[in-house]
Amino acid sequence: MSKIALLFAMLFCMPTITACSASELVPESPAVKQQLLGSPVYIQIFKEERVLELYAKMGNEFRLVKSFPICKFSGGLGPKRMAGDFKSPEGFYSVDVRHLKPDSKYYRAINIGFPNDYDRAQGYSGAYLMIHGECKSIGCYAMTNDYMDEIYRYVETAFAFGQARVNISIYPFRMTDQNLQRYRTSTNIGFWRQLKPGYDYFVKNHQPPTVAVANGQYVLAQPMMGSNKPTQFASTAGGDPFAQGKPLTVIK
């Protein structure tokens, strides 16, 4: 499929979002996949659904390239809190080329960067939490080697073509109102409500959320009226995260 035909397909589907899934907007043909190599990428992980979604930038939006079934993760739903709890992390992470591990003992790996600034603010501990191959997990997100090849190739090539950082958003489940209601009695509900605005932002804008930490809370960069560019930070958890005057640190 030519780039012109692909853009035409995108324009045809955009007015009726509910009728055109992201996978339809980006057909998984070898030609289209080849064209997308080198484009900026974004990753979402959903624990309950056991899926890793890889997105690539097409025009001004990020579109789904492929959904990969997660072979294994550990510890159930909820954030990782301490080394040795065998839990796979949840939250907003950002990686650069130094996080790539082509010689991992688990085939190939991408270190997600745990703990991030939010995790450190909570006193969480642990290290070397990865997306990797070999289908084995003691706190990581394990894929089959074939799937890891595809994921790694897109991320590595995006870095080679100039993307400075790749954002990885990890959720316990799809952050719909219905799912949050279903888990309303969980001890993790306060934390999960901090994650929902980032999820909603991507659903609405087809752009990875820009997330920061202020006073131990995740905060989301909201676009100003009439602009798609994130310019103003707002709390994702309610209240004023800046009330104590502590500095804001962008997740990276």
Side-chain angles (χ1 to χ4, degrees):
M1 180 184 292
S2 68
K3 289 185 178 179
I4 293 175
L6 185 59
L7 288 172
F8 179 79
M10 289 172 61
L11 291 172
F12 180 80
C13 288
M14 282 173 63
T16 55
I17 294 173
T18 57
C20 296
S21 70
S23 59
E24 290 171 334
L25 290 169
V26 186
E28 295 180 17
S29 70
V32 172
K33 285 187 174 184
Q34 188 65 34
Q35 289 175 3
L36 290 174
L37 279 172
S39 298
V41 296
Y42 170 56
I43 291 172
Q44 289 191 134
I45 290 174
F46 299 96
K47 278 184 173 178
E48 188 172 65
E49 292 81 359
R50 302 183 70 91
V51 65
L52 181 153
E53 294 179 346
L54 175 68
Y55 292 82
K57 191 173 184 181
M58 300 177 63
N60 293 322
E61 297 184 343
F62 281 75
R63 296 289 176 174
L64 183 67
V65 176
K66 188 171 180 178
S67 293
F68 299 88
I70 295 171
C71 187
K72 288 185 180 178
F73 69 90
S74 59
L77 304 186
K80 181 176 183 62
R81 291 185 168 90
M82 60 183 295
D85 65 5
F86 302 111
K87 288 188 74 72
S88 301
E90 296 172 8
F92 299 106
Y93 298 88
S94 179
V95 304
D96 60 28
V97 69
R98 296 170 297 178
H99 291 78
L100 298 182
K101 307 294 180 185
D103 56 350
S104 169
K105 67 178 181 179
Y106 296 106
Y107 189 57
R108 291 190 175 93
I110 302 169
N111 187 326
I112 68 169
F114 180 94
N116 64 15
D117 290 321
Y118 174 88
D119 301 321
R120 284 188 286 269
Q122 315 311 311
Y124 297 166
S125 63
Y128 308 114
L129 280 301
M130 312 273 181
I131 302 167
H132 61 61
E134 296 294 349
C135 202
K136 300 174 183 177
S137 174
I138 50 172
C140 298
Y141 292 95
M143 317 298 293
T144 66
N145 289 352
D146 286 345
Y147 288 155
M148 193 63 213
D149 265 336
E150 289 189 67
I151 297 163
Y152 193 95
R153 185 182 180 206
Y154 274 93
V155 173
E156 182 181 48
T157 309
F159 285 139
F161 275 73
Q163 185 173 1
R165 305 193 71 87
V166 171
N167 290 338
I168 303 173
S169 300
I170 306 176
Y171 301 105
F173 40 76
R174 297 195 185 276
M175 308 300 290
T176 62
D177 292 337
Q178 293 84 353
N179 279 339
L180 284 173
Q181 177 67 13
R182 185 160 57 96
Y183 284 103
R184 65 188 180 278
T185 61
S186 170
T187 57
N188 295 309
I189 191 64
F191 168 68
W192 290 340
R193 284 175 177 151
Q194 291 187 55
L195 304 184
K196 180 172 169 54
Y199 171 86
D200 289 344
Y201 182 87
F202 183 71
V203 169
K204 179 180 179 181
N205 297 287
H206 306 289
Q207 295 283 343
T210 300
V211 177
V213 175
N215 292 329
Q217 294 183 27
Y218 279 125
V219 291
L220 175 68
Q222 302 283 16
M224 293 184 67
M225 189 66 67
S227 171
N228 289 325
K229 184 178 180 181
T231 54
Q232 182 178 354
F233 284 90
S235 173
T236 65
D240 182 1
F242 309 106
Q244 300 176 33
K246 293 183 180 179
L248 179 148
T249 305
V250 176
I251 294 292
K252 61 182 181 179

PDB file of all heavy atoms in Angstrom, residues 166-197:
ATOM      1  N   VAL A 166      11.127   7.010  24.488  1.00  0.00           N
ATOM      2  CA  VAL A 166       9.895   6.272  24.201  1.00  0.00           C
ATOM      3  C   VAL A 166       9.104   6.158  25.500  1.00  0.00           C
ATOM      4  O   VAL A 166       9.626   5.678  26.512  1.00  0.00           O
ATOM      5  CB  VAL A 166      10.196   4.873  23.631  1.00  0.00           C
ATOM      6  CG1 VAL A 166       8.921   4.038  23.544  1.00  0.00           C
ATOM      7  CG2 VAL A 166      10.855   4.992  22.261  1.00  0.00           C
ATOM      8  N   ASN A 167       7.865   6.614  25.471  1.00  0.00           N
ATOM      9  CA  ASN A 167       7.000   6.520  26.645  1.00  0.00           C
ATOM     10  C   ASN A 167       6.340   5.146  26.704  1.00  0.00           C
ATOM     11  O   ASN A 167       5.897   4.607  25.684  1.00  0.00           O
ATOM     12  CB  ASN A 167       5.925   7.602  26.609  1.00  0.00           C
ATOM     13  CG  ASN A 167       6.492   8.986  26.828  1.00  0.00           C
ATOM     14  OD1 ASN A 167       7.577   9.142  27.393  1.00  0.00           O
ATOM     15  ND2 ASN A 167       5.778   9.998  26.380  1.00  0.00           N
ATOM     16  N   ILE A 168       6.266   4.611  27.922  1.00  0.00           N
ATOM     17  CA  ILE A 168       5.621   3.322  28.174  1.00  0.00           C
ATOM     18  C   ILE A 168       4.616   3.528  29.300  1.00  0.00           C
ATOM     19  O   ILE A 168       4.998   3.848  30.430  1.00  0.00           O
ATOM     20  CB  ILE A 168       6.646   2.239  28.567  1.00  0.00           C
ATOM     21  CG1 ILE A 168       7.710   2.078  27.474  1.00  0.00           C
ATOM     22  CG2 ILE A 168       5.944   0.911  28.846  1.00  0.00           C
ATOM     23  CD1 ILE A 168       8.850   1.138  27.856  1.00  0.00           C
ATOM     24  N   SER A 169       3.343   3.377  28.995  1.00  0.00           N
ATOM     25  CA  SER A 169       2.280   3.523  29.994  1.00  0.00           C
ATOM     26  C   SER A 169       1.775   2.132  30.366  1.00  0.00           C
ATOM     27  O   SER A 169       1.364   1.368  29.492  1.00  0.00           O
ATOM     28  CB  SER A 169       1.128   4.365  29.439  1.00  0.00           C
ATOM     29  OG  SER A 169       1.573   5.661  29.083  1.00  0.00           O
ATOM     30  N   ILE A 170       1.797   1.821  31.659  1.00  0.00           N
ATOM     31  CA  ILE A 170       1.426   0.485  32.122  1.00  0.00           C
ATOM     32  C   ILE A 170       0.223   0.603  33.050  1.00  0.00           C
ATOM     33  O   ILE A 170       0.290   1.259  34.094  1.00  0.00           O
ATOM     34  CB  ILE A 170       2.594  -0.199  32.853  1.00  0.00           C
ATOM     35  CG1 ILE A 170       3.848  -0.203  31.967  1.00  0.00           C
ATOM     36  CG2 ILE A 170       2.208  -1.622  33.253  1.00  0.00           C
ATOM     37  CD1 ILE A 170       5.078  -0.772  32.639  1.00  0.00           C
ATOM     38  N   TYR A 171      -0.872  -0.036  32.650  1.00  0.00           N
ATOM     39  CA  TYR A 171      -2.136   0.059  33.367  1.00  0.00           C
ATOM     40  C   TYR A 171      -2.557  -1.310  33.904  1.00  0.00           C
ATOM     41  O   TYR A 171      -2.229  -2.340  33.308  1.00  0.00           O
ATOM     42  CB  TYR A 171      -3.231   0.581  32.437  1.00  0.00           C
ATOM     43  CG  TYR A 171      -2.947   1.943  31.847  1.00  0.00           C
ATOM     44  CD1 TYR A 171      -2.561   2.076  30.512  1.00  0.00           C
ATOM     45  CD2 TYR A 171      -3.069   3.093  32.611  1.00  0.00           C
ATOM     46  CE1 TYR A 171      -2.309   3.326  29.961  1.00  0.00           C
ATOM     47  CE2 TYR A 171      -2.818   4.347  32.069  1.00  0.00           C
ATOM     48  CZ  TYR A 171      -2.437   4.461  30.744  1.00  0.00           C
ATOM     49  OH  TYR A 171      -2.184   5.698  30.208  1.00  0.00           O
ATOM     50  N   PRO A 172      -3.325  -1.333  34.998  1.00  0.00           N
ATOM     51  CA  PRO A 172      -3.817  -2.619  35.503  1.00  0.00           C
ATOM     52  C   PRO A 172      -4.865  -3.230  34.582  1.00  0.00           C
ATOM     53  O   PRO A 172      -5.014  -4.455  34.519  1.00  0.00           O
ATOM     54  CB  PRO A 172      -4.432  -2.256  36.855  1.00  0.00           C
ATOM     55  CG  PRO A 172      -4.833  -0.814  36.701  1.00  0.00           C
ATOM     56  CD  PRO A 172      -3.767  -0.201  35.832  1.00  0.00           C
ATOM     57  N   PHE A 173      -5.598  -2.367  33.881  1.00  0.00           N
ATOM     58  CA  PHE A 173      -6.673  -2.772  32.966  1.00  0.00           C
ATOM     59  C   PHE A 173      -7.007  -1.541  32.140  1.00  0.00           C
ATOM     60  O   PHE A 173      -6.457  -0.453  32.373  1.00  0.00           O
ATOM     61  CB  PHE A 173      -7.911  -3.263  33.740  1.00  0.00           C
ATOM     62  CG  PHE A 173      -8.216  -2.455  34.977  1.00  0.00           C
ATOM     63  CD1 PHE A 173      -8.796  -1.190  34.889  1.00  0.00           C
ATOM     64  CD2 PHE A 173      -7.898  -2.939  36.233  1.00  0.00           C
ATOM     65  CE1 PHE A 173      -9.058  -0.436  36.015  1.00  0.00           C
ATOM     66  CE2 PHE A 173      -8.150  -2.184  37.381  1.00  0.00           C
ATOM     67  CZ  PHE A 173      -8.732  -0.932  37.269  1.00  0.00           C
ATOM     68  N   ARG A 174      -7.883  -1.673  31.174  1.00  0.00           N
ATOM     69  CA  ARG A 174      -8.322  -0.491  30.428  1.00  0.00           C
ATOM     70  C   ARG A 174      -9.086   0.413  31.385  1.00  0.00           C
ATOM     71  O   ARG A 174     -10.031  -0.017  32.043  1.00  0.00           O
ATOM     72  CB  ARG A 174      -9.176  -0.895  29.226  1.00  0.00           C
ATOM     73  CG  ARG A 174      -8.377  -1.723  28.231  1.00  0.00           C
ATOM     74  CD  ARG A 174      -9.032  -1.843  26.873  1.00  0.00           C
ATOM     75  NE  ARG A 174      -8.265  -2.753  26.030  1.00  0.00           N
ATOM     76  CZ  ARG A 174      -7.203  -2.409  25.309  1.00  0.00           C
ATOM     77  NH1 ARG A 174      -6.777  -1.154  25.322  1.00  0.00           N
ATOM     78  NH2 ARG A 174      -6.558  -3.301  24.576  1.00  0.00           N
ATOM     79  N   MET A 175      -8.654   1.676  31.457  1.00  0.00           N
ATOM     80  CA  MET A 175      -9.086   2.553  32.542  1.00  0.00           C
ATOM     81  C   MET A 175     -10.431   3.215  32.244  1.00  0.00           C
ATOM     82  O   MET A 175     -10.578   4.442  32.268  1.00  0.00           O
ATOM     83  CB  MET A 175      -8.012   3.600  32.825  1.00  0.00           C
ATOM     84  CG  MET A 175      -6.620   3.038  33.057  1.00  0.00           C
ATOM     85  SD  MET A 175      -6.541   1.896  34.453  1.00  0.00           S
ATOM     86  CE  MET A 175      -6.767   3.017  35.813  1.00  0.00           C
ATOM     87  N   THR A 176     -11.431   2.400  31.985  1.00  0.00           N
ATOM     88  CA  THR A 176     -12.773   2.904  31.747  1.00  0.00           C
ATOM     89  C   THR A 176     -13.465   3.168  33.082  1.00  0.00           C
ATOM     90  O   THR A 176     -13.073   2.630  34.129  1.00  0.00           O
ATOM     91  CB  THR A 176     -13.599   1.891  30.948  1.00  0.00           C
ATOM     92  OG1 THR A 176     -13.725   0.685  31.722  1.00  0.00           O
ATOM     93  CG2 THR A 176     -12.921   1.557  29.615  1.00  0.00           C
ATOM     94  N   ASP A 177     -14.516   3.983  33.044  1.00  0.00           N
ATOM     95  CA  ASP A 177     -15.293   4.223  34.261  1.00  0.00           C
ATOM     96  C   ASP A 177     -15.864   2.916  34.801  1.00  0.00           C
ATOM     97  O   ASP A 177     -15.918   2.706  36.018  1.00  0.00           O
ATOM     98  CB  ASP A 177     -16.431   5.206  33.967  1.00  0.00           C
ATOM     99  CG  ASP A 177     -15.926   6.605  33.655  1.00  0.00           C
ATOM    100  OD1 ASP A 177     -14.797   6.942  34.076  1.00  0.00           O
ATOM    101  OD2 ASP A 177     -16.663   7.364  32.988  1.00  0.00           O
ATOM    102  N   GLN A 178     -16.280   2.040  33.892  1.00  0.00           N
ATOM    103  CA  GLN A 178     -16.866   0.769  34.316  1.00  0.00           C
ATOM    104  C   GLN A 178     -15.849  -0.095  35.060  1.00  0.00           C
ATOM    105  O   GLN A 178     -16.174  -0.712  36.087  1.00  0.00           O
ATOM    106  CB  GLN A 178     -17.414   0.008  33.099  1.00  0.00           C
ATOM    107  CG  GLN A 178     -18.604   0.676  32.425  1.00  0.00           C
ATOM    108  CD  GLN A 178     -18.208   1.758  31.435  1.00  0.00           C
ATOM    109  OE1 GLN A 178     -17.026   2.122  31.327  1.00  0.00           O
ATOM    110  NE2 GLN A 178     -19.190   2.280  30.720  1.00  0.00           N
ATOM    111  N   ASN A 179     -14.619  -0.141  34.560  1.00  0.00           N
ATOM    112  CA  ASN A 179     -13.602  -0.952  35.230  1.00  0.00           C
ATOM    113  C   ASN A 179     -13.205  -0.361  36.577  1.00  0.00           C
ATOM    114  O   ASN A 179     -12.981  -1.096  37.550  1.00  0.00           O
ATOM    115  CB  ASN A 179     -12.379  -1.116  34.332  1.00  0.00           C
ATOM    116  CG  ASN A 179     -12.564  -2.196  33.290  1.00  0.00           C
ATOM    117  OD1 ASN A 179     -13.401  -3.089  33.444  1.00  0.00           O
ATOM    118  ND2 ASN A 179     -11.786  -2.134  32.224  1.00  0.00           N
ATOM    119  N   LEU A 180     -13.106   0.959  36.652  1.00  0.00           N
ATOM    120  CA  LEU A 180     -12.791   1.573  37.943  1.00  0.00           C
ATOM    121  C   LEU A 180     -13.914   1.326  38.949  1.00  0.00           C
ATOM    122  O   LEU A 180     -13.651   1.108  40.138  1.00  0.00           O
ATOM    123  CB  LEU A 180     -12.541   3.070  37.765  1.00  0.00           C
ATOM    124  CG  LEU A 180     -11.192   3.435  37.149  1.00  0.00           C
ATOM    125  CD1 LEU A 180     -11.125   4.923  36.852  1.00  0.00           C
ATOM    126  CD2 LEU A 180     -10.035   3.031  38.053  1.00  0.00           C
ATOM    127  N   GLN A 181     -15.144   1.344  38.482  1.00  0.00           N
ATOM    128  CA  GLN A 181     -16.264   1.032  39.370  1.00  0.00           C
ATOM    129  C   GLN A 181     -16.186  -0.419  39.841  1.00  0.00           C
ATOM    130  O   GLN A 181     -16.453  -0.729  41.010  1.00  0.00           O
ATOM    131  CB  GLN A 181     -17.592   1.282  38.637  1.00  0.00           C
ATOM    132  CG  GLN A 181     -18.845   0.930  39.419  1.00  0.00           C
ATOM    133  CD  GLN A 181     -19.069   1.822  40.629  1.00  0.00           C
ATOM    134  OE1 GLN A 181     -18.421   2.862  40.776  1.00  0.00           O
ATOM    135  NE2 GLN A 181     -19.967   1.419  41.515  1.00  0.00           N
ATOM    136  N   ARG A 182     -15.783  -1.292  38.950  1.00  0.00           N
ATOM    137  CA  ARG A 182     -15.672  -2.716  39.288  1.00  0.00           C
ATOM    138  C   ARG A 182     -14.628  -2.944  40.383  1.00  0.00           C
ATOM    139  O   ARG A 182     -14.770  -3.847  41.209  1.00  0.00           O
ATOM    140  CB  ARG A 182     -15.305  -3.488  38.011  1.00  0.00           C
ATOM    141  CG  ARG A 182     -15.257  -4.985  38.137  1.00  0.00           C
ATOM    142  CD  ARG A 182     -15.372  -5.653  36.774  1.00  0.00           C
ATOM    143  NE  ARG A 182     -14.353  -5.218  35.839  1.00  0.00           N
ATOM    144  CZ  ARG A 182     -13.210  -5.867  35.622  1.00  0.00           C
ATOM    145  NH1 ARG A 182     -12.946  -6.971  36.292  1.00  0.00           N
ATOM    146  NH2 ARG A 182     -12.344  -5.416  34.740  1.00  0.00           N
ATOM    147  N   TYR A 183     -13.579  -2.112  40.392  1.00  0.00           N
ATOM    148  CA  TYR A 183     -12.504  -2.270  41.379  1.00  0.00           C
ATOM    149  C   TYR A 183     -12.540  -1.181  42.454  1.00  0.00           C
ATOM    150  O   TYR A 183     -11.523  -0.903  43.091  1.00  0.00           O
ATOM    151  CB  TYR A 183     -11.151  -2.235  40.666  1.00  0.00           C
ATOM    152  CG  TYR A 183     -10.824  -3.518  39.936  1.00  0.00           C
ATOM    153  CD1 TYR A 183     -10.953  -3.604  38.547  1.00  0.00           C
ATOM    154  CD2 TYR A 183     -10.397  -4.648  40.626  1.00  0.00           C
ATOM    155  CE1 TYR A 183     -10.653  -4.777  37.873  1.00  0.00           C
ATOM    156  CE2 TYR A 183     -10.093  -5.825  39.963  1.00  0.00           C
ATOM    157  CZ  TYR A 183     -10.225  -5.882  38.582  1.00  0.00           C
ATOM    158  OH  TYR A 183      -9.928  -7.051  37.923  1.00  0.00           O
ATOM    159  N   ARG A 184     -13.702  -0.592  42.681  1.00  0.00           N
ATOM    160  CA  ARG A 184     -13.802   0.564  43.576  1.00  0.00           C
ATOM    161  C   ARG A 184     -13.404   0.247  45.015  1.00  0.00           C
ATOM    162  O   ARG A 184     -13.028   1.147  45.765  1.00  0.00           O
ATOM    163  CB  ARG A 184     -15.216   1.139  43.543  1.00  0.00           C
ATOM    164  CG  ARG A 184     -16.297   0.208  44.079  1.00  0.00           C
ATOM    165  CD  ARG A 184     -17.698   0.773  43.820  1.00  0.00           C
ATOM    166  NE  ARG A 184     -18.750  -0.097  44.335  1.00  0.00           N
ATOM    167  CZ  ARG A 184     -19.215  -1.167  43.702  1.00  0.00           C
ATOM    168  NH1 ARG A 184     -18.710  -1.501  42.516  1.00  0.00           N
ATOM    169  NH2 ARG A 184     -20.172  -1.902  44.232  1.00  0.00           N
ATOM    170  N   THR A 185     -13.478  -1.022  45.433  1.00  0.00           N
ATOM    171  CA  THR A 185     -13.118  -1.371  46.810  1.00  0.00           C
ATOM    172  C   THR A 185     -11.659  -1.807  46.950  1.00  0.00           C
ATOM    173  O   THR A 185     -11.220  -2.140  48.051  1.00  0.00           O
ATOM    174  CB  THR A 185     -14.028  -2.502  47.332  1.00  0.00           C
ATOM    175  OG1 THR A 185     -13.855  -3.664  46.506  1.00  0.00           O
ATOM    176  CG2 THR A 185     -15.496  -2.072  47.310  1.00  0.00           C
ATOM    177  N   SER A 186     -10.904  -1.789  45.860  1.00  0.00           N
ATOM    178  CA  SER A 186      -9.500  -2.198  45.921  1.00  0.00           C
ATOM    179  C   SER A 186      -8.683  -1.186  46.718  1.00  0.00           C
ATOM    180  O   SER A 186      -8.932   0.025  46.669  1.00  0.00           O
ATOM    181  CB  SER A 186      -8.923  -2.321  44.508  1.00  0.00           C
ATOM    182  OG  SER A 186      -7.516  -2.488  44.548  1.00  0.00           O
ATOM    183  N   THR A 187      -7.685  -1.667  47.419  1.00  0.00           N
ATOM    184  CA  THR A 187      -6.774  -0.768  48.131  1.00  0.00           C
ATOM    185  C   THR A 187      -5.932   0.059  47.167  1.00  0.00           C
ATOM    186  O   THR A 187      -5.305   1.038  47.584  1.00  0.00           O
ATOM    187  CB  THR A 187      -5.841  -1.573  49.053  1.00  0.00           C
ATOM    188  OG1 THR A 187      -5.130  -2.546  48.267  1.00  0.00           O
ATOM    189  CG2 THR A 187      -6.633  -2.287  50.143  1.00  0.00           C
ATOM    190  N   ASN A 188      -5.922  -0.314  45.887  1.00  0.00           N
ATOM    191  CA  ASN A 188      -5.141   0.419  44.889  1.00  0.00           C
ATOM    192  C   ASN A 188      -5.952   1.478  44.151  1.00  0.00           C
ATOM    193  O   ASN A 188      -5.420   2.137  43.256  1.00  0.00           O
ATOM    194  CB  ASN A 188      -4.583  -0.558  43.844  1.00  0.00           C
ATOM    195  CG  ASN A 188      -3.594  -1.540  44.435  1.00  0.00           C
ATOM    196  OD1 ASN A 188      -2.653  -1.149  45.121  1.00  0.00           O
ATOM    197  ND2 ASN A 188      -3.807  -2.825  44.186  1.00  0.00           N
ATOM    198  N   ILE A 189      -7.227   1.671  44.513  1.00  0.00           N
ATOM    199  CA  ILE A 189      -8.098   2.514  43.702  1.00  0.00           C
ATOM    200  C   ILE A 189      -7.602   3.964  43.627  1.00  0.00           C
ATOM    201  O   ILE A 189      -7.718   4.615  42.582  1.00  0.00           O
ATOM    202  CB  ILE A 189      -9.563   2.458  44.209  1.00  0.00           C
ATOM    203  CG1 ILE A 189     -10.511   3.114  43.207  1.00  0.00           C
ATOM    204  CG2 ILE A 189      -9.689   3.050  45.598  1.00  0.00           C
ATOM    205  CD1 ILE A 189     -10.585   2.423  41.873  1.00  0.00           C
ATOM    206  N   GLY A 190      -7.029   4.486  44.705  1.00  0.00           N
ATOM    207  CA  GLY A 190      -6.515   5.852  44.674  1.00  0.00           C
ATOM    208  C   GLY A 190      -5.392   6.013  43.664  1.00  0.00           C
ATOM    209  O   GLY A 190      -5.351   6.993  42.907  1.00  0.00           O
ATOM    210  N   PHE A 191      -4.489   5.050  43.641  1.00  0.00           N
ATOM    211  CA  PHE A 191      -3.392   5.069  42.666  1.00  0.00           C
ATOM    212  C   PHE A 191      -3.931   4.933  41.250  1.00  0.00           C
ATOM    213  O   PHE A 191      -3.520   5.655  40.338  1.00  0.00           O
ATOM    214  CB  PHE A 191      -2.416   3.938  42.981  1.00  0.00           C
ATOM    215  CG  PHE A 191      -1.411   3.671  41.901  1.00  0.00           C
ATOM    216  CD1 PHE A 191      -0.423   4.592  41.602  1.00  0.00           C
ATOM    217  CD2 PHE A 191      -1.456   2.488  41.167  1.00  0.00           C
ATOM    218  CE1 PHE A 191       0.510   4.350  40.595  1.00  0.00           C
ATOM    219  CE2 PHE A 191      -0.536   2.230  40.172  1.00  0.00           C
ATOM    220  CZ  PHE A 191       0.448   3.164  39.881  1.00  0.00           C
ATOM    221  N   TRP A 192      -4.864   4.020  41.044  1.00  0.00           N
ATOM    222  CA  TRP A 192      -5.392   3.798  39.698  1.00  0.00           C
ATOM    223  C   TRP A 192      -6.115   5.023  39.166  1.00  0.00           C
ATOM    224  O   TRP A 192      -6.082   5.300  37.968  1.00  0.00           O
ATOM    225  CB  TRP A 192      -6.306   2.577  39.702  1.00  0.00           C
ATOM    226  CG  TRP A 192      -5.551   1.293  39.888  1.00  0.00           C
ATOM    227  CD1 TRP A 192      -4.210   1.084  39.671  1.00  0.00           C
ATOM    228  CD2 TRP A 192      -6.070   0.040  40.336  1.00  0.00           C
ATOM    229  NE1 TRP A 192      -3.871  -0.217  39.954  1.00  0.00           N
ATOM    230  CE2 TRP A 192      -4.984  -0.885  40.362  1.00  0.00           C
ATOM    231  CE3 TRP A 192      -7.326  -0.399  40.725  1.00  0.00           C
ATOM    232  CZ2 TRP A 192      -5.147  -2.214  40.753  1.00  0.00           C
ATOM    233  CZ3 TRP A 192      -7.491  -1.727  41.112  1.00  0.00           C
ATOM    234  CH2 TRP A 192      -6.407  -2.621  41.121  1.00  0.00           C
ATOM    235  N   ARG A 193      -6.761   5.776  40.053  1.00  0.00           N
ATOM    236  CA  ARG A 193      -7.424   7.007  39.598  1.00  0.00           C
ATOM    237  C   ARG A 193      -6.413   8.036  39.111  1.00  0.00           C
ATOM    238  O   ARG A 193      -6.740   8.894  38.290  1.00  0.00           O
ATOM    239  CB  ARG A 193      -8.289   7.572  40.721  1.00  0.00           C
ATOM    240  CG  ARG A 193      -9.588   6.784  40.912  1.00  0.00           C
ATOM    241  CD  ARG A 193     -10.382   7.263  42.104  1.00  0.00           C
ATOM    242  NE  ARG A 193     -11.653   6.542  42.210  1.00  0.00           N
ATOM    243  CZ  ARG A 193     -12.297   6.313  43.350  1.00  0.00           C
ATOM    244  NH1 ARG A 193     -11.783   6.760  44.499  1.00  0.00           N
ATOM    245  NH2 ARG A 193     -13.439   5.655  43.354  1.00  0.00           N
ATOM    246  N   GLN A 194      -5.179   7.963  39.610  1.00  0.00           N
ATOM    247  CA  GLN A 194      -4.133   8.847  39.094  1.00  0.00           C
ATOM    248  C   GLN A 194      -3.739   8.476  37.665  1.00  0.00           C
ATOM    249  O   GLN A 194      -3.276   9.327  36.901  1.00  0.00           O
ATOM    250  CB  GLN A 194      -2.888   8.780  39.980  1.00  0.00           C
ATOM    251  CG  GLN A 194      -3.044   9.386  41.358  1.00  0.00           C
ATOM    252  CD  GLN A 194      -1.716   9.436  42.089  1.00  0.00           C
ATOM    253  OE1 GLN A 194      -0.738   9.989  41.593  1.00  0.00           O
ATOM    254  NE2 GLN A 194      -1.677   8.847  43.271  1.00  0.00           N
ATOM    255  N   LEU A 195      -3.896   7.205  37.303  1.00  0.00           N
ATOM    256  CA  LEU A 195      -3.496   6.746  35.973  1.00  0.00           C
ATOM    257  C   LEU A 195      -4.544   7.058  34.907  1.00  0.00           C
ATOM    258  O   LEU A 195      -4.209   7.201  33.728  1.00  0.00           O
ATOM    259  CB  LEU A 195      -3.246   5.233  35.985  1.00  0.00           C
ATOM    260  CG  LEU A 195      -2.232   4.687  36.997  1.00  0.00           C
ATOM    261  CD1 LEU A 195      -2.059   3.185  36.793  1.00  0.00           C
ATOM    262  CD2 LEU A 195      -0.899   5.398  36.885  1.00  0.00           C
ATOM    263  N   LYS A 196      -5.802   7.154  35.296  1.00  0.00           N
ATOM    264  CA  LYS A 196      -6.890   7.276  34.324  1.00  0.00           C
ATOM    265  C   LYS A 196      -6.760   8.491  33.402  1.00  0.00           C
ATOM    266  O   LYS A 196      -6.999   8.366  32.187  1.00  0.00           O
ATOM    267  CB  LYS A 196      -8.241   7.299  35.039  1.00  0.00           C
ATOM    268  CG  LYS A 196      -9.432   7.423  34.070  1.00  0.00           C
ATOM    269  CD  LYS A 196     -10.754   7.253  34.768  1.00  0.00           C
ATOM    270  CE  LYS A 196     -11.926   7.631  33.872  1.00  0.00           C
ATOM    271  NZ  LYS A 196     -11.923   6.905  32.579  1.00  0.00           N
ATOM    272  N   PRO A 197      -6.400   9.697  33.893  1.00  0.00           N
ATOM    273  CA  PRO A 197      -6.304  10.830  32.966  1.00  0.00           C
ATOM    274  C   PRO A 197      -5.292  10.622  31.843  1.00  0.00           C
ATOM    275  O   PRO A 197      -5.499  11.102  30.729  1.00  0.00           O
ATOM    276  CB  PRO A 197      -5.909  12.001  33.877  1.00  0.00           C
ATOM    277  CG  PRO A 197      -6.464  11.625  35.209  1.00  0.00           C
ATOM    278  CD  PRO A 197      -6.252  10.142  35.300  1.00  0.00           C
TER     279      PRO A 197
END
